[in-house]
């Protein structure tokens, strides 16, 4: 739920509408990545994502999220 809320806030900040479908790029800890993989379809539906991409990088306490139309 926290991740979905964070993604929705990022969509709002980016000025996206409900109908905008995005590529969701995430930098996550292995634990978060496992959660996202488990609930991938639900997250994609709730967040308006047409694709979820994982990237390697330095992970902070919260996931790094990038949205692309």
């Amino acid at each position: 739920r926290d991740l979905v809320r964070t993604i929705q806030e990022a969509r709002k900040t980016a000025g996206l509408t409900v109908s905008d479908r995005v590529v969701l790029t995430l930098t996550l800890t292995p634990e978060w990545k496992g959660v996202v993989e488990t609930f991938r379809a639900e997250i994609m539906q709730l967040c308006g994502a047409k694709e979820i991409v994982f990237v390697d990088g330095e992970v902070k306490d919260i996931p790094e999220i990038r949205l692309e139309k």
Side-chain angles (χ1 to χ4, degrees):
R1 217 171 7 161
D2 291 335
L3 179 60
V4 170
R5 185 179 320 115
T6 301
I7 295 167
Q8 294 291 21
E9 288 173 8
R11 286 180 59 91
K12 183 177 178 181
T13 300
L16 298 172
T17 66
V18 174
S19 63
D20 290 329
R21 297 290 172 241
V22 297
V23 175
L24 181 58
T25 303
L26 303 171
T27 305
L28 304 169
T29 63
E31 294 81 15
W32 271 106
K33 185 176 179 182
V35 170
V36 172
E37 289 289 6
T38 300
F39 297 101
R40 179 185 281 267
E42 184 177 353
I43 291 168
M44 288 178 69
Q45 180 183 7
L46 291 171
C47 297
K50 57 186 173 186
E51 182 180 358
I52 296 177
V53 177
F54 298 102
V55 295
D56 293 329
E58 183 179 341
V59 179
K60 302 175 180 111
D61 291 336
I62 59 170
E64 180 182 324
I65 299 169
R66 284 182 286 164
L67 302 170
E68 299 172 37
K69 278 179 132 182

